[in-house]
Amino acid sequence: MREFMKSNKGKIYIYIVVSILLVLISCIYMNSLKSQRYVETEALLCEGMLPLNVSGVVEQEITAGEEFLGVAVQFYTREYACTDEVTVEIIDADTKDVLGHFERNAESFTDEKREVFLLDKVQKDVAGKNYLVRISIQEGANEKHVSVGVSTQTNEWIDKPYAANSNKQDLKLEMSVCEPVITDGYVFVAVLCILAFLVAGYALIGKPIKEERLLLIFLGTIGILYFLAIPMLQVPDENGHFYRSYEISQGDFLTPHGIDDSGASYLPKDIIPESLETIDAINYDKIREASDEKIDRKHKEYYANPTQALYAPISYLPQALGCLVGRLISDKGVTIFYMGRLANFIACSLLAAWAVRLIPFGKRFLLLIICMPMYLQQMVSLSSDAFINAMALVMIALVLKLMQQESVCGKGQRIALLVISFMVALCKIVYLPLCFLVLFIPSEKLGKTIKRGHIYKAVCVAVSTVLNLGWLLIGFSYMIEFRPGVDTPAQIVYILTQPWKYLGVLCSTFAMKIVDWMGTMVGAKMCILNVYTSLTLVVIYLVYLIFEMIIAANEHNFLSKKYKLLQIGMFLLVFLITLTSLYVQWTAYKNPQIEGFQGRYFIPILPLLMCGLKAKKLTVSDKQLLQYEWAMIAIINITTLFSIITYYMQ
């Protein structure tokens, strides 16, 4: 032990300093956590929209209850890209002191979703006290502007309604009266968990450990905590993923066409308990209360499911198997739901570990990707993205493995490559280019002769393409334009006839949203984008991720310059196809920016970017960073878990 301490003294000191800094950041963050839940007003219904660019500054005086933490405001952009800068101020009506000043870009707003503005400190014992809410905008370059919801009704805690167009109209506000929920006890438990992982990181210093084994240990602890912490239906579109998974578990691989020709599942009544249908109001108590509610298998119900019907059944293979087991052992919707989640988590964990084991370089980089809070959230949900992410990582890792090995591929390797290629082709249309990675493998490694290798490549690429296009034709029958302003045929013509304008749309979208994409890729906003995590820790994680990408690309990358350029080209191609598909199917006609792209869409193709990098050679050993990364991975995930748990404990 003495020799170990002496030989690793420098590493241990650095590790301790880094760990202490991260723990301090985590403690400061957890102490500042507040509940973002608010009390919804019952009488005040939104009956219209007031364009802020017309009315300028809008003010509303409100009367507080016993406590006051902030307000929630309902904004509207009418599904267009609004570039207005919105300012919200909460002012003491008596002293005119500004208690809270908030600036948001309207691009971050979602129609019919309340934007919460919280004060730094709860105002206590303020029953009957008046506060002023002032909303103003700085108009952006876009002609479309943000509006705020209004109502002609009154509410008991609103004192002086805003008057417009000779009719009295109240802003659609809700008061937030919840106190901060982090106590010293929570902080103590969090610090205890963090310290346990720091000790584990300390033990890694100077000791070899396989990354795939480390990953399985992590998933068996932190991954299970995510599984338990994220309530059902609290991942985007998870109700639709459940409908599709349940449907496939019954043997219905194609979703029936509904009233408007879009996908509509016909499933047993109450597979989602009625008490959980209001997704924004779900918490642990409500799930516990709904856990005993049984589904009605004798009566079928119509469940509109236009988006998930577009996905091939293979995307829901683990979830459907889990739902099948759940249906066999229980008649309770909550149990069946969580059995689907559990199967998805197990399958994706094994695939992730396989990918880390296969990839010949960049193992720590892949480990960092899989340990991101957003990746873990998808993994423990019913989302099809979890299986897609895992299969894409395995595909890239297997191709690199076969390119690197000197011997001819065995029969098992060739079969595995074919099966994975076909599954990736069916999982998601935009990831078809990944199947063309097989062309990078030297033909002499894929068969006894070069000719057989060529034939193998041709079959792999051809069948993958046919499967992809075949499902695309099936998916077209479900496509409808249900978002305002969307005109798919006209949008396609616009792109083809005015490519330079579309290039401007791409550049504008990238410039305006890249920061948000990077944050949400790691996990700056979790669950249904309602749980905010520590931005500082997210930035630190991104720095580690980028640094590991450079290290992996320069120390062990055996690819030639030609193949590196091809890998970057593949990354850009998938990125472009994804953006274009969203512009065609999801974004209003000629909109100046693309809507619907999320940071998590980068996850499956990040290894391509790593493969394509080449800079000055860095001399950092494989194990010098592992213990620091382990500390950072543990801390960001534990603090993220505390954000989630405290949010849903109410």
Side-chain angles (χ1 to χ4, degrees):
M1 183 66 179
R2 183 178 297 176
E3 290 297 323
F4 172 78
M5 294 287 291
K6 186 176 180 180
S7 60
N8 293 280
K9 186 185 297 183
K11 297 178 183 178
I12 293 171
Y13 287 158
I14 295 174
Y15 177 71
I16 291 173
V17 171
V18 171
S19 300
I20 290 174
L21 288 174
L22 289 173
V23 169
L24 287 174
I25 293 172
S26 303
C27 290
I28 293 170
Y29 166 68
M30 287 187 290
N31 273 317
S32 67
L33 275 180
K34 295 183 180 70
S35 164
Q36 293 193 12
R37 290 191 179 275
Y38 41 84
V39 178
E40 295 187 14
T41 60
E42 296 180 358
L44 192 59
L45 301 175
C46 190
E47 299 177 348
M49 295 178 288
L50 181 65
L52 290 178
N53 64 313
V54 174
S55 300
V57 177
V58 176
E59 295 182 347
Q60 179 77 59
E61 192 165 311
I62 61 177
T63 304
E66 293 294 332
E67 296 176 345
F68 178 57
L69 179 57
V71 295
V73 185
Q74 192 159 315
F75 291 103
Y76 292 86
T77 61
R78 293 178 293 281
E79 302 294 343
Y80 292 107
C82 298
T83 56
D84 299 337
E85 294 291 333
V86 179
T87 300
V88 176
E89 293 179 309
I90 300 176
I91 303 169
D92 188 315
D94 298 327
T95 64
K96 303 303 179 185
D97 293 336
V98 177
L99 304 178
H101 181 91
F102 313 91
E103 293 183 356
R104 301 268 185 90
N105 190 286
E107 287 183 320
S108 65
F109 294 161
T110 303
D111 286 3
E112 299 182 7
K113 182 178 178 182
R114 303 169 185 86
E115 299 295 326
V116 182
F117 302 93
L118 297 177
L119 300 176
D120 291 331
K121 184 179 180 181
V122 179
Q123 307 296 306
K124 295 185 177 181
D125 301 322
V126 291
K129 185 176 178 60
N130 291 331
Y131 294 91
L132 191 67
V133 179
R134 178 182 296 157
I135 306 173
S136 59
I137 66 165
Q138 179 181 349
E139 296 183 21
N142 200 317
E143 294 180 358
K144 306 297 182 182
H145 299 284
V146 67
S147 301
V148 65
V150 295
S151 175
T152 56
Q153 300 187 35
T154 59
N155 187 277
E156 59 183 9
W157 53 264
I158 291 183
D159 186 21
K160 299 176 182 178
Y162 174 76
N165 299 327
S166 73
N167 294 321
K168 287 187 176 181
Q169 292 183 313
D170 299 334
L171 297 182
K172 181 168 173 51
L173 302 175
E174 277 109 17
M175 298 185 70
S176 182
V177 295
C178 300
E179 293 188 48
V181 294
I182 291 293
T183 64
D184 293 339
Y186 285 116
V187 175
F188 174 77
V189 174
V191 172
L192 194 64
C193 292
I194 291 171
L195 289 176
F197 274 86
L198 296 186
V199 171
Y202 174 86
L204 292 174
I205 298 175
K207 294 186 178 181
I209 182 170
K210 292 183 178 181
E211 284 81 357
E212 58 267 28
R213 182 178 298 178
L214 189 63
L215 177 61
L216 288 176
I217 293 172
F218 179 83
L219 294 176
T221 52
I222 294 294
I224 290 175
L225 290 177
Y226 272 98
F227 179 84
L228 298 172
I230 299 177
M232 64 181 290
L233 304 173
Q234 291 304 288
V235 174
D237 302 321
E238 200 170 16
N239 55 343
H241 294 305
F242 184 40
Y243 300 153
R244 188 76 173 107
S245 302
Y246 194 104
E247 178 181 72
I248 296 169
S249 76
Q250 298 181 133
D252 302 324
F253 299 109
L254 292 178
T255 303
H257 289 274
I259 298 172
D260 56 359
D261 284 334
S262 66
S265 303
Y266 294 87
L267 305 172
K269 188 178 180 182
D270 298 327
I271 62 168
I272 293 179
E274 186 177 348
S275 59
L276 300 179
E277 290 181 353
T278 305
I279 293 176
D280 290 343
I282 289 175
N283 57 28
Y284 297 135
D285 289 336
K286 290 192 175 181
I287 291 179
R288 187 162 46 249
E289 292 168 3
S291 60
D292 290 329
E293 295 185 29
K294 298 180 179 180
I295 62 176
D296 184 357
R297 288 176 173 168
K298 295 181 179 179
H299 300 91
K300 298 286 185 179
E301 200 167 56
Y302 178 95
Y303 296 90
N305 199 17
T307 304
Q308 281 66 46
L310 299 173
Y311 292 99
I314 197 70
S315 303
Y316 293 95
L317 179 60
Q319 303 94 307
L321 290 175
C323 288
L324 176 60
V325 174
R327 289 172 48 230
L328 293 175
I329 64 174
S330 175
D331 58 355
K332 297 172 183 176
V334 173
T335 301
I336 297 170
F337 186 98
Y338 276 101
M339 286 300 297
R341 269 193 173 189
L342 181 61
N344 200 29
F345 174 56
I346 293 173
C348 293
S349 296
L350 294 175
L351 288 170
W354 188 27
V356 173
R357 182 178 181 180
L358 284 173
I359 198 164
F361 65 93
K363 289 181 182 290
R364 291 194 315 279
F365 176 70
L366 211 57
L367 187 72
L368 283 175
I369 291 176
I370 297 165
C371 291
M372 289 191 300
M374 182 56 69
Y375 191 100
L376 294 170
Q377 172 178 292
Q378 297 303 109
M379 186 184 288
V380 301
S381 74
L382 285 173
S383 173
S384 60
D385 286 347
F387 191 62
I388 293 167
N389 290 344
M391 292 303 301
L393 295 183
V394 170
M395 177 74 189
I396 295 170
L398 182 56
V399 168
L400 291 173
K401 171 69 175 177
L402 298 181
M403 291 179 68
Q404 183 256 356
Q405 72 179 30
E406 296 180 0
S407 60
V408 177
C409 301
K411 184 178 179 180
Q413 289 179 317
R414 292 195 297 271
I415 293 174
L417 184 58
L418 279 176
V419 172
I420 293 167
S421 298
F422 299 161
M423 293 178 74
V424 169
L426 282 170
C427 275
K428 213 166 191 177
I429 293 168
V430 297
Y431 295 134
L432 174 63
L434 294 180
C435 300
F436 287 75
L437 289 173
V438 70
L439 299 176
F440 294 4
I441 305 172
S443 297
E444 59 269 20
K445 292 185 179 182
L446 292 173
K448 293 181 179 180
T449 64
I450 294 178
K451 183 178 180 181
R452 286 188 179 183
H454 288 328
I455 294 172
Y456 178 91
K457 288 182 180 180
V459 170
C460 186
V461 171
V463 175
S464 298
T465 303
V466 169
L467 289 173
N468 187 277
L469 296 179
W471 184 259
L472 180 62
L473 291 175
I474 295 173
F476 268 133
S477 65
Y478 295 103
M479 287 186 183
I480 61 168
E481 296 163 359
F482 56 89
R483 283 175 60 85
V486 174
D487 188 338
T488 298
Q491 197 85 295
I492 294 173
V493 172
Y494 173 66
I495 293 172
L496 295 176
T497 57
Q498 302 187 56
W500 292 113
K501 287 189 176 181
Y502 180 56
L503 180 61
V505 171
L506 290 171
C507 294
S508 174
T509 303
F510 185 83
M512 294 297 296
K513 299 189 176 183
I514 184 61
V515 174
D516 182 64
W517 289 345
M518 292 296 98
T520 54
M521 179 185 74
V522 174
K525 291 183 282 187
M526 297 290 289
C527 298
I528 49 175
L529 305 182
N530 57 340
V531 178
Y532 292 80
T533 60
S534 171
L535 186 59
T536 303
L537 291 175
V538 168
V539 172
I540 292 173
Y541 202 104
L542 277 171
V543 170
Y544 267 99
L545 196 66
I546 294 169
F547 191 63
E548 265 300 349
M549 184 187 296
I550 297 171
I551 295 292
N554 288 278
E555 281 202 335
H556 309 288
N557 195 338
F558 58 85
L559 298 174
S560 66
K561 186 175 181 180
K562 179 182 72 173
Y563 282 126
K564 288 180 180 181
L565 291 175
L566 288 172
Q567 295 277 2
I568 292 177
M570 190 74 71
F571 173 88
L572 294 175
L573 178 61
V574 175
F575 181 41
L576 179 62
I577 292 173
T578 305
L579 284 174
T580 303
S581 66
L582 289 170
Y583 194 60
V584 168
Q585 300 174 19
W586 195 257
T587 309
Y589 178 54
K590 288 188 177 181
N591 202 60
Q593 290 186 4
I594 300 169
E595 299 298 318
F597 189 91
Q598 300 179 40
R600 56 190 169 88
Y601 296 160
F602 282 118
I603 291 174
I605 56 175
L606 282 177
L608 297 177
L609 199 58
M610 175 196 72
C611 294
L613 288 181
K614 181 65 179 175
K616 293 182 179 179
K617 191 173 183 66
L618 300 175
T619 55
V620 180
S621 69
D622 285 349
K623 301 302 175 184
Q624 279 183 330
L625 287 174
L626 185 57
Q627 62 269 25
Y628 312 130
E629 291 170 356
W630 181 253
M632 182 270 306
I633 287 171
I635 287 172
I636 190 172
N637 279 290
I638 290 172
T639 53
T640 299
L641 281 166
F642 266 75
S643 299
I644 295 169
I645 291 169
T646 53
Y647 184 90
Y648 289 107
M649 280 184 65
Q650 306 154 75

